[in-house]
Amino acid sequence: MKIGILGLPASGKTTIFNSLTRGKADIGGFGATRSANVGVAHVPDERVDVLTKMFKSKKTIYAEVTYVDLPGSASGELFEGEAMAQLQQVDAILHVARAFEDGSVPHLEGSVDYKRDIEKVAFDIMFADIALLERRIERITGSLKTMKVAERDDAEKNIETLKRLQSDLENGIAIRDRDLEASEIKAISDTFLLSSLPLLIALNIGEDDVANTAALEEEIGELLSGRSTGGAAICGALEAELVGMSEEEEAEMRAGLDAGEPGLSRMIKLSYQVLGLNSFLTVGEDETRAWTINIGALAPKAAGVIHSDIERGFIRAETVGYDDFIECGTMAEARNRGLFRQEGREYVVQDGDIVNFLFSV
Ligand SMILES: Nc1nc2c(ncn2[C@@H]2O[C@H](COP(=O)(O)OP(=O)(O)OP(=O)(O)O)[C@@H](O)[C@H]2O)c(=O)[nH]1
Ligand SMILES: [Mg+2]
């Protein structure tokens, strides 16, 4: 599961990418990123931290989200060439919108106006889909003449469906914003439509605006209509500085900023959410670990994330919810209260379940 980072030239895409993934990719702006950068972010999870302490685990392993920093283009054209090829591989889009003022970093439009840019990118995404649907409709229309009668009926229905989607896009309704009917799902099943992907906004704010984070995020929330979308404000320059520091120095700096949970953490958690992912947890002296599953995954499938043998030889899952466990304090107490349960093949693993799989191969 991957998230593609896009935005106007020099909006700070690579800077934010480096902060999210603790990476060291070259920044510079206006086409500085020629080929995509790929990196992994740890999903902050306080449950994992708490359990690590309780079980005195030697290792702590967090869930991960992969980010792809798409190649920039000086013209601001977002969906051409290598960037488009990379975009076809992602599961969600993260738009870095510039809110920071800096005279030494020019803006493509000549002024900093993030509302304008957020609307423009949202529009460009939908426009790319409109154009793609147009080409598809033309192609099917062109082949109608040579079709057999039975096929033609189907094709004409498809054209109707595609036109309906297209006209909704023209009215500002992204694919992600609608409940697709079966016929619509079928009509676009082999078409990659950008506006079907969840859209996240990272507002790249200046250092002066860190104290206004909450208000700015509320504003982005209002700008974003529809589903599977969300935003966070991140000060790219500041985060880039913090990434280079030791953990202690970083903690000290953050405490001094008094900005609460960093936008960076919120963004990574949000990313995990829009990808439709959940974490189940395993604990022990060796390691405490968060494992990634799709929401709704059954117990054997979750077991398979750890090892295919455990899925194949699945017997049952012993499990307790995180909150229940914390309330009990120990596994023994959870067992006494009947909260440490035995679950079978049909069990839907829940976010935060602490699980031990029994299996035999
Ligand atoms: N003042 C300030 N400058 C920033 C901030 N974020 C990025 N910059 C600067 O903006 C310039 C462009 O940053 P990049 O991260 O390379 O931007 P980009 O969007 O990846 O650029 P391309 O890949 O070329 O499109 C660099 O000079 C950064 O130092 C910020 O939060 N504040
Ligand atoms: Mg870049």
Side-chain angles (χ1 to χ4, degrees), residues 133-176:
L133 287 176
E134 187 61 39
R135 289 198 295 277
R136 250 190 94 76
I137 291 167
E138 275 169 15
R139 209 168 51 231
I140 304 176
T141 308
S143 60
L144 276 179
K145 283 194 204 93
T146 54
M147 278 182 192
K148 292 192 197 110
V149 180
E151 282 175 6
R152 201 181 303 157
D153 228 28
D154 250 9
E156 276 168 352
K157 280 203 192 96
N158 261 350
I159 292 175
E160 283 308 303
T161 308
L162 296 175
K163 281 191 173 158
R164 192 165 63 233
L165 291 169
Q166 202 187 23
S167 108
D168 277 359
L169 281 161
E170 280 159 1
N171 290 320
I173 304 169
I175 303 291
R176 82 178 85 81

mmCIF file of all heavy atoms in Angstrom, residues 133-176:
data_model
loop_
_atom_site.group_PDB
_atom_site.id
_atom_site.type_symbol
_atom_site.label_atom_id
_atom_site.label_comp_id
_atom_site.label_asym_id
_atom_site.label_seq_id
_atom_site.Cartn_x
_atom_site.Cartn_y
_atom_site.Cartn_z
ATOM 1 N N LEU A 133 -11.806 9.436 -19.575
ATOM 2 C CA LEU A 133 -13.110 8.854 -19.913
ATOM 3 C C LEU A 133 -13.493 9.241 -21.346
ATOM 4 O O LEU A 133 -14.071 8.434 -22.081
ATOM 5 C CB LEU A 133 -14.179 9.320 -18.915
ATOM 6 C CG LEU A 133 -14.080 8.699 -17.520
ATOM 7 C CD1 LEU A 133 -15.121 9.311 -16.589
ATOM 8 C CD2 LEU A 133 -14.264 7.179 -17.565
ATOM 9 N N GLU A 134 -13.160 10.476 -21.710
ATOM 10 C CA GLU A 134 -13.466 10.940 -23.066
ATOM 11 C C GLU A 134 -12.803 10.017 -24.098
ATOM 12 O O GLU A 134 -13.435 9.576 -25.057
ATOM 13 C CB GLU A 134 -12.947 12.378 -23.226
ATOM 14 C CG GLU A 134 -13.349 13.056 -24.541
ATOM 15 C CD GLU A 134 -14.862 13.181 -24.679
ATOM 16 O OE1 GLU A 134 -15.525 13.471 -23.665
ATOM 17 O OE2 GLU A 134 -15.362 12.972 -25.807
ATOM 18 N N ARG A 135 -11.525 9.720 -23.868
ATOM 19 C CA ARG A 135 -10.806 8.847 -24.811
ATOM 20 C C ARG A 135 -11.424 7.458 -24.861
ATOM 21 O O ARG A 135 -11.529 6.847 -25.907
ATOM 22 C CB ARG A 135 -9.321 8.761 -24.411
ATOM 23 C CG ARG A 135 -8.544 10.050 -24.659
ATOM 24 C CD ARG A 135 -7.054 9.817 -24.670
ATOM 25 N NE ARG A 135 -6.537 9.374 -23.375
ATOM 26 C CZ ARG A 135 -6.232 10.202 -22.366
ATOM 27 N NH1 ARG A 135 -6.396 11.507 -22.519
ATOM 28 N NH2 ARG A 135 -5.774 9.747 -21.230
ATOM 29 N N ARG A 136 -11.844 6.980 -23.720
ATOM 30 C CA ARG A 136 -12.460 5.649 -23.666
ATOM 31 C C ARG A 136 -13.784 5.632 -24.428
ATOM 32 O O ARG A 136 -14.069 4.707 -25.178
ATOM 33 C CB ARG A 136 -12.717 5.261 -22.221
ATOM 34 C CG ARG A 136 -11.821 4.149 -21.757
ATOM 35 C CD ARG A 136 -12.265 3.646 -20.414
ATOM 36 N NE ARG A 136 -13.157 2.504 -20.542
ATOM 37 C CZ ARG A 136 -12.743 1.292 -20.837
ATOM 38 N NH1 ARG A 136 -11.479 1.040 -21.038
ATOM 39 N NH2 ARG A 136 -13.600 0.298 -20.941
ATOM 40 N N ILE A 137 -14.570 6.679 -24.194
ATOM 41 C CA ILE A 137 -15.872 6.763 -24.867
ATOM 42 C C ILE A 137 -15.655 6.806 -26.380
ATOM 43 O O ILE A 137 -16.342 6.111 -27.134
ATOM 44 C CB ILE A 137 -16.661 8.006 -24.373
ATOM 45 C CG1 ILE A 137 -17.084 7.798 -22.915
ATOM 46 C CG2 ILE A 137 -17.877 8.266 -25.265
ATOM 47 C CD1 ILE A 137 -17.597 9.045 -22.218
ATOM 48 N N GLU A 138 -14.677 7.606 -26.796
ATOM 49 C CA GLU A 138 -14.385 7.705 -28.242
ATOM 50 C C GLU A 138 -13.980 6.357 -28.813
ATOM 51 O O GLU A 138 -14.408 5.961 -29.891
ATOM 52 C CB GLU A 138 -13.261 8.727 -28.488
ATOM 53 C CG GLU A 138 -13.780 10.154 -28.585
ATOM 54 C CD GLU A 138 -12.651 11.174 -28.562
ATOM 55 O OE1 GLU A 138 -11.475 10.786 -28.760
ATOM 56 O OE2 GLU A 138 -12.953 12.354 -28.319
ATOM 57 N N ARG A 139 -13.141 5.649 -28.055
ATOM 58 C CA ARG A 139 -12.656 4.357 -28.555
ATOM 59 C C ARG A 139 -13.807 3.364 -28.715
ATOM 60 O O ARG A 139 -13.925 2.696 -29.739
ATOM 61 C CB ARG A 139 -11.580 3.800 -27.622
ATOM 62 C CG ARG A 139 -10.592 2.929 -28.377
ATOM 63 C CD ARG A 139 -9.356 2.583 -27.566
ATOM 64 N NE ARG A 139 -9.672 2.054 -26.253
ATOM 65 C CZ ARG A 139 -9.140 2.507 -25.119
ATOM 66 N NH1 ARG A 139 -8.282 3.487 -25.152
ATOM 67 N NH2 ARG A 139 -9.464 1.962 -23.970
ATOM 68 N N ILE A 140 -14.640 3.294 -27.678
ATOM 69 C CA ILE A 140 -15.759 2.340 -27.756
ATOM 70 C C ILE A 140 -16.704 2.749 -28.891
ATOM 71 O O ILE A 140 -17.165 1.906 -29.665
ATOM 72 C CB ILE A 140 -16.526 2.252 -26.421
ATOM 73 C CG1 ILE A 140 -15.572 1.893 -25.273
ATOM 74 C CG2 ILE A 140 -17.625 1.197 -26.508
ATOM 75 C CD1 ILE A 140 -16.212 1.888 -23.905
ATOM 76 N N THR A 141 -16.993 4.054 -28.979
ATOM 77 C CA THR A 141 -17.883 4.534 -30.033
ATOM 78 C C THR A 141 -17.347 4.157 -31.412
ATOM 79 O O THR A 141 -18.091 3.696 -32.288
ATOM 80 C CB THR A 141 -18.048 6.075 -29.953
ATOM 81 O OG1 THR A 141 -18.420 6.418 -28.617
ATOM 82 C CG2 THR A 141 -19.108 6.574 -30.913
ATOM 83 N N GLY A 142 -16.015 4.320 -31.558
ATOM 84 C CA GLY A 142 -15.381 4.012 -32.840
ATOM 85 C C GLY A 142 -15.497 2.546 -33.229
ATOM 86 O O GLY A 142 -15.535 2.216 -34.421
ATOM 87 N N SER A 143 -15.561 1.686 -32.220
ATOM 88 C CA SER A 143 -15.577 0.251 -32.545
ATOM 89 C C SER A 143 -16.995 -0.324 -32.634
ATOM 90 O O SER A 143 -17.188 -1.499 -32.923
ATOM 91 C CB SER A 143 -14.738 -0.526 -31.522
ATOM 92 O OG SER A 143 -15.281 -0.332 -30.238
ATOM 93 N N LEU A 144 -17.996 0.548 -32.396
ATOM 94 C CA LEU A 144 -19.391 0.074 -32.404
ATOM 95 C C LEU A 144 -19.774 -0.579 -33.740
ATOM 96 O O LEU A 144 -20.426 -1.626 -33.766
ATOM 97 C CB LEU A 144 -20.352 1.243 -32.131
ATOM 98 C CG LEU A 144 -20.605 1.624 -30.677
ATOM 99 C CD1 LEU A 144 -21.567 2.810 -30.611
ATOM 100 C CD2 LEU A 144 -21.140 0.454 -29.877
ATOM 101 N N LYS A 145 -19.338 0.069 -34.828
ATOM 102 C CA LYS A 145 -19.767 -0.375 -36.160
ATOM 103 C C LYS A 145 -19.394 -1.819 -36.454
ATOM 104 O O LYS A 145 -20.137 -2.545 -37.096
ATOM 105 C CB LYS A 145 -19.124 0.528 -37.225
ATOM 106 C CG LYS A 145 -19.805 1.875 -37.356
ATOM 107 C CD LYS A 145 -19.353 2.575 -38.644
ATOM 108 C CE LYS A 145 -19.517 4.070 -38.517
ATOM 109 N NZ LYS A 145 -18.300 4.746 -38.037
ATOM 110 N N THR A 146 -18.217 -2.191 -35.990
ATOM 111 C CA THR A 146 -17.737 -3.533 -36.323
ATOM 112 C C THR A 146 -18.186 -4.589 -35.310
ATOM 113 O O THR A 146 -17.809 -5.741 -35.404
ATOM 114 C CB THR A 146 -16.194 -3.524 -36.385
ATOM 115 O OG1 THR A 146 -15.704 -2.994 -35.152
ATOM 116 C CG2 THR A 146 -15.696 -2.668 -37.545
ATOM 117 N N MET A 147 -18.993 -4.175 -34.333
ATOM 118 C CA MET A 147 -19.408 -5.131 -33.296
ATOM 119 C C MET A 147 -20.614 -5.956 -33.717
ATOM 120 O O MET A 147 -21.437 -5.510 -34.508
ATOM 121 C CB MET A 147 -19.791 -4.368 -32.023
ATOM 122 C CG MET A 147 -18.628 -3.991 -31.170
ATOM 123 S SD MET A 147 -19.247 -3.172 -29.688
ATOM 124 C CE MET A 147 -17.721 -2.534 -29.050
ATOM 125 N N LYS A 148 -20.720 -7.152 -33.121
ATOM 126 C CA LYS A 148 -21.931 -7.941 -33.323
ATOM 127 C C LYS A 148 -23.061 -7.275 -32.540
ATOM 128 O O LYS A 148 -22.809 -6.553 -31.566
ATOM 129 C CB LYS A 148 -21.726 -9.359 -32.778
ATOM 130 C CG LYS A 148 -20.731 -10.160 -33.583
ATOM 131 C CD LYS A 148 -20.807 -11.631 -33.160
ATOM 132 C CE LYS A 148 -19.588 -12.379 -33.616
ATOM 133 N NZ LYS A 148 -18.694 -12.768 -32.520
ATOM 134 N N VAL A 149 -24.286 -7.542 -32.941
ATOM 135 C CA VAL A 149 -25.437 -6.861 -32.336
ATOM 136 C C VAL A 149 -25.455 -7.032 -30.820
ATOM 137 O O VAL A 149 -25.650 -6.068 -30.080
ATOM 138 C CB VAL A 149 -26.752 -7.394 -32.952
ATOM 139 C CG1 VAL A 149 -27.942 -6.672 -32.327
ATOM 140 C CG2 VAL A 149 -26.727 -7.196 -34.456
ATOM 141 N N ALA A 150 -25.239 -8.246 -30.345
ATOM 142 C CA ALA A 150 -25.301 -8.519 -28.910
ATOM 143 C C ALA A 150 -24.251 -7.705 -28.160
ATOM 144 O O ALA A 150 -24.516 -7.137 -27.097
ATOM 145 C CB ALA A 150 -25.082 -10.004 -28.657
ATOM 146 N N GLU A 151 -23.047 -7.632 -28.726
ATOM 147 C CA GLU A 151 -21.961 -6.866 -28.091
ATOM 148 C C GLU A 151 -22.277 -5.381 -28.100
ATOM 149 O O GLU A 151 -21.974 -4.657 -27.157
ATOM 150 C CB GLU A 151 -20.648 -7.071 -28.860
ATOM 151 C CG GLU A 151 -19.966 -8.380 -28.575
ATOM 152 C CD GLU A 151 -18.739 -8.569 -29.459
ATOM 153 O OE1 GLU A 151 -18.388 -7.630 -30.193
ATOM 154 O OE2 GLU A 151 -18.164 -9.660 -29.415
ATOM 155 N N ARG A 152 -22.902 -4.951 -29.171
ATOM 156 C CA ARG A 152 -23.154 -3.523 -29.330
ATOM 157 C C ARG A 152 -24.070 -2.992 -28.223
ATOM 158 O O ARG A 152 -23.875 -1.912 -27.695
ATOM 159 C CB ARG A 152 -23.776 -3.253 -30.712
ATOM 160 C CG ARG A 152 -23.596 -1.803 -31.131
ATOM 161 C CD ARG A 152 -24.218 -1.525 -32.470
ATOM 162 N NE ARG A 152 -23.693 -2.398 -33.510
ATOM 163 C CZ ARG A 152 -24.350 -2.671 -34.631
ATOM 164 N NH1 ARG A 152 -25.554 -2.157 -34.839
ATOM 165 N NH2 ARG A 152 -23.832 -3.463 -35.542
ATOM 166 N N ASP A 153 -25.042 -3.804 -27.873
ATOM 167 C CA ASP A 153 -25.961 -3.440 -26.808
ATOM 168 C C ASP A 153 -25.208 -3.115 -25.516
ATOM 169 O O ASP A 153 -25.431 -2.074 -24.891
ATOM 170 C CB ASP A 153 -26.897 -4.631 -26.558
ATOM 171 C CG ASP A 153 -28.335 -4.175 -26.500
ATOM 172 O OD1 ASP A 153 -28.636 -3.145 -27.159
ATOM 173 O OD2 ASP A 153 -29.133 -4.810 -25.794
ATOM 174 N N ASP A 154 -24.328 -4.037 -25.177
ATOM 175 C CA ASP A 154 -23.499 -3.876 -23.976
ATOM 176 C C ASP A 154 -22.638 -2.629 -24.058
ATOM 177 O O ASP A 154 -22.545 -1.850 -23.100
ATOM 178 C CB ASP A 154 -22.566 -5.093 -23.856
ATOM 179 C CG ASP A 154 -22.964 -5.966 -22.691
ATOM 180 O OD1 ASP A 154 -24.049 -5.706 -22.122
ATOM 181 O OD2 ASP A 154 -22.203 -6.886 -22.354
ATOM 182 N N ALA A 155 -22.004 -2.457 -25.205
ATOM 183 C CA ALA A 155 -21.081 -1.337 -25.393
ATOM 184 C C ALA A 155 -21.825 -0.014 -25.271
ATOM 185 O O ALA A 155 -21.333 0.943 -24.672
ATOM 186 C CB ALA A 155 -20.389 -1.448 -26.741
ATOM 187 N N GLU A 156 -23.037 0.023 -25.826
ATOM 188 C CA GLU A 156 -23.800 1.267 -25.749
ATOM 189 C C GLU A 156 -24.186 1.594 -24.313
ATOM 190 O O GLU A 156 -24.173 2.756 -23.894
ATOM 191 C CB GLU A 156 -25.039 1.186 -26.654
ATOM 192 C CG GLU A 156 -24.675 1.557 -28.081
ATOM 193 C CD GLU A 156 -25.760 1.233 -29.097
ATOM 194 O OE1 GLU A 156 -26.766 0.575 -28.735
ATOM 195 O OE2 GLU A 156 -25.583 1.624 -30.268
ATOM 196 N N LYS A 157 -24.500 0.554 -23.565
ATOM 197 C CA LYS A 157 -24.804 0.770 -22.137
ATOM 198 C C LYS A 157 -23.575 1.302 -21.407
ATOM 199 O O LYS A 157 -23.658 2.200 -20.569
ATOM 200 C CB LYS A 157 -25.268 -0.542 -21.497
ATOM 201 C CG LYS A 157 -26.715 -0.858 -21.791
ATOM 202 C CD LYS A 157 -27.296 -1.802 -20.743
ATOM 203 C CE LYS A 157 -28.645 -2.335 -21.200
ATOM 204 N NZ LYS A 157 -28.579 -3.658 -21.844
ATOM 205 N N ASN A 158 -22.415 0.716 -21.755
ATOM 206 C CA ASN A 158 -21.156 1.178 -21.158
ATOM 207 C C ASN A 158 -20.914 2.645 -21.435
ATOM 208 O O ASN A 158 -20.511 3.403 -20.546
ATOM 209 C CB ASN A 158 -19.975 0.381 -21.723
ATOM 210 C CG ASN A 158 -19.552 -0.727 -20.789
ATOM 211 O OD1 ASN A 158 -20.016 -0.786 -19.652
ATOM 212 N ND2 ASN A 158 -18.682 -1.595 -21.256
ATOM 213 N N ILE A 159 -21.151 3.032 -22.664
ATOM 214 C CA ILE A 159 -20.942 4.438 -23.035
ATOM 215 C C ILE A 159 -21.840 5.336 -22.189
ATOM 216 O O ILE A 159 -21.401 6.357 -21.655
ATOM 217 C CB ILE A 159 -21.211 4.648 -24.541
ATOM 218 C CG1 ILE A 159 -20.137 3.925 -25.360
ATOM 219 C CG2 ILE A 159 -21.223 6.131 -24.891
ATOM 220 C CD1 ILE A 159 -20.358 3.945 -26.870
ATOM 221 N N GLU A 160 -23.109 4.931 -22.046
ATOM 222 C CA GLU A 160 -24.041 5.699 -21.213
ATOM 223 C C GLU A 160 -23.480 5.882 -19.804
ATOM 224 O O GLU A 160 -23.489 6.976 -19.252
ATOM 225 C CB GLU A 160 -25.397 4.969 -21.118
ATOM 226 C CG GLU A 160 -26.256 5.105 -22.359
ATOM 227 C CD GLU A 160 -26.404 6.565 -22.759
ATOM 228 O OE1 GLU A 160 -26.866 7.350 -21.907
ATOM 229 O OE2 GLU A 160 -26.044 6.916 -23.905
ATOM 230 N N THR A 161 -23.012 4.758 -19.237
ATOM 231 C CA THR A 161 -22.488 4.786 -17.870
ATOM 232 C C THR A 161 -21.282 5.711 -17.771
ATOM 233 O O THR A 161 -21.177 6.538 -16.854
ATOM 234 C CB THR A 161 -22.070 3.364 -17.442
ATOM 235 O OG1 THR A 161 -23.168 2.484 -17.678
ATOM 236 C CG2 THR A 161 -21.685 3.309 -15.988
ATOM 237 N N LEU A 162 -20.355 5.576 -18.722
ATOM 238 C CA LEU A 162 -19.146 6.405 -18.688
ATOM 239 C C LEU A 162 -19.496 7.881 -18.822
ATOM 240 O O LEU A 162 -18.905 8.742 -18.165
ATOM 241 C CB LEU A 162 -18.172 5.982 -19.795
ATOM 242 C CG LEU A 162 -17.616 4.556 -19.669
ATOM 243 C CD1 LEU A 162 -16.756 4.200 -20.890
ATOM 244 C CD2 LEU A 162 -16.806 4.379 -18.390
ATOM 245 N N LYS A 163 -20.492 8.170 -19.651
ATOM 246 C CA LYS A 163 -20.906 9.572 -19.829
ATOM 247 C C LYS A 163 -21.497 10.136 -18.541
ATOM 248 O O LYS A 163 -21.306 11.302 -18.222
ATOM 249 C CB LYS A 163 -21.930 9.681 -20.969
ATOM 250 C CG LYS A 163 -21.277 9.649 -22.335
ATOM 251 C CD LYS A 163 -22.256 10.019 -23.418
ATOM 252 C CE LYS A 163 -21.546 10.141 -24.762
ATOM 253 N NZ LYS A 163 -22.473 9.978 -25.898
ATOM 254 N N ARG A 164 -22.221 9.272 -17.830
ATOM 255 C CA ARG A 164 -22.814 9.722 -16.568
ATOM 256 C C ARG A 164 -21.704 10.061 -15.561
ATOM 257 O O ARG A 164 -21.744 11.102 -14.908
ATOM 258 C CB ARG A 164 -23.726 8.622 -16.020
ATOM 259 C CG ARG A 164 -24.604 9.072 -14.881
ATOM 260 C CD ARG A 164 -25.727 8.096 -14.621
ATOM 261 N NE ARG A 164 -25.231 6.794 -14.205
ATOM 262 C CZ ARG A 164 -25.557 5.646 -14.784
ATOM 263 N NH1 ARG A 164 -26.373 5.616 -15.815
ATOM 264 N NH2 ARG A 164 -25.083 4.506 -14.325
ATOM 265 N N LEU A 165 -20.703 9.182 -15.476
ATOM 266 C CA LEU A 165 -19.582 9.446 -14.565
ATOM 267 C C LEU A 165 -18.869 10.737 -14.963
ATOM 268 O O LEU A 165 -18.507 11.565 -14.125
ATOM 269 C CB LEU A 165 -18.577 8.280 -14.600
ATOM 270 C CG LEU A 165 -19.060 6.969 -14.002
ATOM 271 C CD1 LEU A 165 -18.103 5.832 -14.340
ATOM 272 C CD2 LEU A 165 -19.207 7.091 -12.490
ATOM 273 N N GLN A 166 -18.712 10.886 -16.269
ATOM 274 C CA GLN A 166 -18.022 12.059 -16.788
ATOM 275 C C GLN A 166 -18.780 13.341 -16.442
ATOM 276 O O GLN A 166 -18.185 14.321 -16.004
ATOM 277 C CB GLN A 166 -17.895 11.907 -18.301
ATOM 278 C CG GLN A 166 -16.799 12.723 -18.902
ATOM 279 C CD GLN A 166 -16.834 12.649 -20.421
ATOM 280 O OE1 GLN A 166 -17.864 12.364 -21.027
ATOM 281 N NE2 GLN A 166 -15.695 12.902 -21.039
ATOM 282 N N SER A 167 -20.075 13.296 -16.597
ATOM 283 C CA SER A 167 -20.829 14.525 -16.350
ATOM 284 C C SER A 167 -20.850 14.852 -14.851
ATOM 285 O O SER A 167 -20.839 16.017 -14.460
ATOM 286 C CB SER A 167 -22.222 14.436 -16.977
ATOM 287 O OG SER A 167 -23.206 14.291 -16.004
ATOM 288 N N ASP A 168 -20.835 13.817 -14.016
ATOM 289 C CA ASP A 168 -20.717 14.075 -12.573
ATOM 290 C C ASP A 168 -19.375 14.703 -12.242
ATOM 291 O O ASP A 168 -19.286 15.614 -11.410
ATOM 292 C CB ASP A 168 -20.904 12.779 -11.779
ATOM 293 C CG ASP A 168 -22.379 12.459 -11.576
ATOM 294 O OD1 ASP A 168 -23.224 13.258 -12.043
ATOM 295 O OD2 ASP A 168 -22.689 11.425 -10.966
ATOM 296 N N LEU A 169 -18.315 14.215 -12.890
ATOM 297 C CA LEU A 169 -16.989 14.801 -12.666
ATOM 298 C C LEU A 169 -16.994 16.271 -13.064
ATOM 299 O O LEU A 169 -16.427 17.129 -12.385
ATOM 300 C CB LEU A 169 -15.921 14.046 -13.470
ATOM 301 C CG LEU A 169 -15.447 12.717 -12.877
ATOM 302 C CD1 LEU A 169 -14.782 11.854 -13.932
ATOM 303 C CD2 LEU A 169 -14.501 12.952 -11.710
ATOM 304 N N GLU A 170 -17.660 16.550 -14.180
ATOM 305 C CA GLU A 170 -17.749 17.944 -14.634
ATOM 306 C C GLU A 170 -18.472 18.813 -13.611
ATOM 307 O O GLU A 170 -18.225 20.005 -13.510
ATOM 308 C CB GLU A 170 -18.435 18.017 -16.001
ATOM 309 C CG GLU A 170 -17.445 17.680 -17.118
ATOM 310 C CD GLU A 170 -18.120 17.244 -18.422
ATOM 311 O OE1 GLU A 170 -19.365 17.207 -18.480
ATOM 312 O OE2 GLU A 170 -17.384 16.932 -19.363
ATOM 313 N N ASN A 171 -19.351 18.168 -12.835
ATOM 314 C CA ASN A 171 -20.053 18.908 -11.782
ATOM 315 C C ASN A 171 -19.325 18.841 -10.445
ATOM 316 O O ASN A 171 -19.896 19.147 -9.399
ATOM 317 C CB ASN A 171 -21.478 18.377 -11.633
ATOM 318 C CG ASN A 171 -22.331 18.742 -12.829
ATOM 319 O OD1 ASN A 171 -22.224 19.861 -13.337
ATOM 320 N ND2 ASN A 171 -23.131 17.814 -13.302
ATOM 321 N N GLY A 172 -18.085 18.374 -10.490
ATOM 322 C CA GLY A 172 -17.267 18.404 -9.280
ATOM 323 C C GLY A 172 -17.420 17.201 -8.364
ATOM 324 O O GLY A 172 -16.986 17.239 -7.213
ATOM 325 N N ILE A 173 -18.048 16.129 -8.852
ATOM 326 C CA ILE A 173 -18.197 14.943 -8.005
ATOM 327 C C ILE A 173 -17.126 13.914 -8.385
ATOM 328 O O ILE A 173 -17.175 13.317 -9.464
ATOM 329 C CB ILE A 173 -19.597 14.318 -8.140
ATOM 330 C CG1 ILE A 173 -20.661 15.377 -7.831
ATOM 331 C CG2 ILE A 173 -19.737 13.113 -7.220
ATOM 332 C CD1 ILE A 173 -22.068 14.938 -8.182
ATOM 333 N N ALA A 174 -16.164 13.738 -7.502
ATOM 334 C CA ALA A 174 -15.085 12.783 -7.748
ATOM 335 C C ALA A 174 -15.623 11.352 -7.646
ATOM 336 O O ALA A 174 -16.648 11.125 -6.996
ATOM 337 C CB ALA A 174 -13.971 12.993 -6.740
ATOM 338 N N ILE A 175 -14.919 10.426 -8.276
ATOM 339 C CA ILE A 175 -15.356 9.026 -8.220
ATOM 340 C C ILE A 175 -15.418 8.549 -6.766
ATOM 341 O O ILE A 175 -16.327 7.821 -6.374
ATOM 342 C CB ILE A 175 -14.395 8.115 -9.029
ATOM 343 C CG1 ILE A 175 -14.289 8.577 -10.489
ATOM 344 C CG2 ILE A 175 -14.833 6.656 -8.941
ATOM 345 C CD1 ILE A 175 -15.534 8.386 -11.313
ATOM 346 N N ARG A 176 -14.470 8.996 -5.957
ATOM 347 C CA ARG A 176 -14.453 8.550 -4.561
ATOM 348 C C ARG A 176 -15.664 9.050 -3.781
ATOM 349 O O ARG A 176 -15.984 8.532 -2.722
ATOM 350 C CB ARG A 176 -13.159 9.014 -3.870
ATOM 351 C CG ARG A 176 -13.164 10.421 -3.369
ATOM 352 C CD ARG A 176 -11.889 10.789 -2.669
ATOM 353 N NE ARG A 176 -10.875 11.219 -3.617
ATOM 354 C CZ ARG A 176 -10.822 12.456 -4.146
ATOM 355 N NH1 ARG A 176 -11.737 13.365 -3.834
ATOM 356 N NH2 ARG A 176 -9.889 12.783 -4.992
#
